[in-house]
Amino acid sequence: MTVEAIEDIKVRAVTQEEVESFFEHGWVKLPNLIDRSAAAELLRRAKGLFGEDGRTNLDPISENSMLKVKTQGWFRTAVPISEMDEAFRKLASSEQIGRNAARLFGRESSIRMTLNNLTCKLPGDTDRGKGTDFHQDTTQHMAFEGNTMNVWIALDEVTPDMGALEFYSGSHKLGNLGNLLDPETLQSWEPHIAKTCTKTDPIALQPGDATVHTNLMIHGTGPNLTNRPRWSFIGMYLPADTRYTGADSFYTNGLGLKPWDVIEHPNFPVIYDATS
Ligand SMILES: O=C(O)CCC(=O)C(=O)O
Ligand SMILES: [Fe+2]
């Protein structure tokens, strides 16, 4: 793909049916969100950073996780990938992703891009290929007052046995359940979750397919049982009028934001302007 073609990482619009399914279940699969050739180009660039097998220049796991949650065994990550690679920047800041996010949030608001990362779940015999513990994306996002949503795009095929995402459909209606990464907390919620939610099978994806989930959706994975790395882009989006709460967070600490001001900052650019 040439430099001009990178201008063209086309993202398709979500359909009304997809929006309704998202409201109902709290997550939705978006087949072919980007086309296969764009996914192939992004995969080529991802392998340029992490190596064909995902293991080039792999740092040891540090004790001091940036997110203060136990995510480090889940996958290898480069964040923000938008600052490391032009094609990923174009994808992460795609106006159409912003327009889709506004429709999925259910309000015609402007949208900001925030966290965006390249992730690679290595084979499960490594320390970066374990199952992703079931969680909501709330604890690590308390710096933001409003809801957030993650767009998870497969750069290569993700088969169910590779640690594909699984969702508890309907769990977004349960509200914030606290620190589900604490096994005792998760366990104590289990009867209520079992009564009110339906767990999906691992969601298989072709390159360019995506899932979107809200911050309240309970999701996780099994380990990567294959010998192939699982490659994905994850972007987090929120309404542009979201305020900063002042909570300690790796995304916002040191940026000079004031509690209860809108999170106006170059790290969180508006990618979709609902007024224009
Ligand atoms: O990719 C994974 O295994 C987990 C991703 C995740 O937790 C998220 O996108 O919120
Ligand atoms: Fe998550």
Side-chain angles (χ1 to χ4, degrees):
M1 193 184 269
T2 61
V3 171
E4 300 90 83
I6 290 166
E7 302 290 333
D8 281 325
I9 292 197
K10 288 266 189 321
V11 175
R12 73 166 174 86
V14 290
T15 65
Q16 186 54 29
E17 204 182 3
E18 287 166 344
V19 171
E20 278 160 24
S21 175
F22 183 76
F23 291 161
E24 173 66 16
H25 302 291
W27 71 278
V28 67
K29 178 173 172 177
L30 304 175
N32 294 111
L33 182 65
I34 62 173
D35 68 32
R36 274 179 178 245
S37 64
E41 173 60 11
L42 292 163
L43 179 62
R44 191 183 67 76
R45 288 161 174 265
K47 288 182 171 174
L49 284 166
F50 284 178
E52 187 69 31
D53 63 359
R55 298 181 198 222
T56 301
N57 298 327
L58 190 59
D59 293 329
I61 293 222
S62 88
E63 288 303 312
N64 189 7
S65 165
M66 291 185 298
L67 299 180
K68 295 214 169 74
V69 291
K70 297 175 194 153
T71 61
Q72 289 205 0
W74 296 356
F75 41 60
R76 180 179 188 185
T77 183
V79 56
I81 188 64
S82 57
E83 284 177 24
M84 301 173 209
D85 182 279
E86 183 58 12
F88 279 101
R89 189 185 67 74
K90 288 194 184 304
L91 174 65
S93 60
S94 151
E95 185 184 29
Q96 185 63 54
I97 286 195
R99 189 177 291 114
N100 288 345
R103 292 196 63 203
L104 293 166
F105 277 125
R107 177 176 63 134
E108 181 57 357
S109 72
S110 299
I111 297 291
R112 287 181 200 277
M113 166 192 117
T114 63
L115 172 73
N116 61 88
N117 52 15
L118 167 66
T119 73
C120 179
K121 194 186 273 296
L122 293 172
D125 60 348
T126 69
D127 60 8
R128 307 292 170 88
K130 299 191 173 104
T132 298
D133 299 299
F134 280 84
H135 65 281
Q136 295 174 308
D137 294 334
T138 42
T139 314
Q140 65 268 43
H141 298 166
M142 293 307 281
F144 305 114
E145 182 183 28
N147 285 327
T148 61
M149 89 178 44
N150 276 15
V151 179
W152 198 109
I153 304 178
L155 305 181
D156 201 356
E157 184 181 9
V158 178
T159 53
D161 54 353
M162 287 178 81
L165 278 179
E166 300 165 39
F167 299 100
Y168 279 90
S169 281
S171 55
H172 62 309
K173 296 176 183 167
L174 300 179
N176 184 343
L177 304 182
N179 182 15
L180 298 184
L181 290 172
D182 175 342
E184 267 185 40
T185 308
L186 179 60
Q187 223 174 21
S188 63
W189 279 113
E190 260 161 15
H192 191 50
I193 293 170
K195 212 163 42 194
T196 51
C197 308
T198 311
K199 189 168 185 235
T200 68
D201 289 331
I203 309 293
L205 301 173
Q206 292 297 316
D209 290 354
T211 56
V212 183
H213 61 269
T214 81
N215 56 321
L216 291 168
M217 169 55 41
I218 303 173
H219 57 286
T221 78
N224 182 355
L225 298 174
T226 74
N227 56 12
R228 294 173 52 228
R230 187 207 71 173
W231 296 93
S232 68
F233 163 85
I234 309 176
M236 187 179 110
Y237 298 89
L238 42 64
D241 56 2
T242 298
R243 298 187 301 174
Y244 171 57
T245 62
D248 171 63
S249 120
F250 142 72
Y251 316 121
T252 47
N253 289 353
L255 299 183
L257 298 172
K258 282 217 225 62
W260 311 116
D261 277 0
V262 167
I263 53 156
E264 195 77 65
H265 189 276
N267 285 11
F268 311 126
V270 173
I271 57 163
Y272 171 62
D273 181 354
T275 62
S276 67

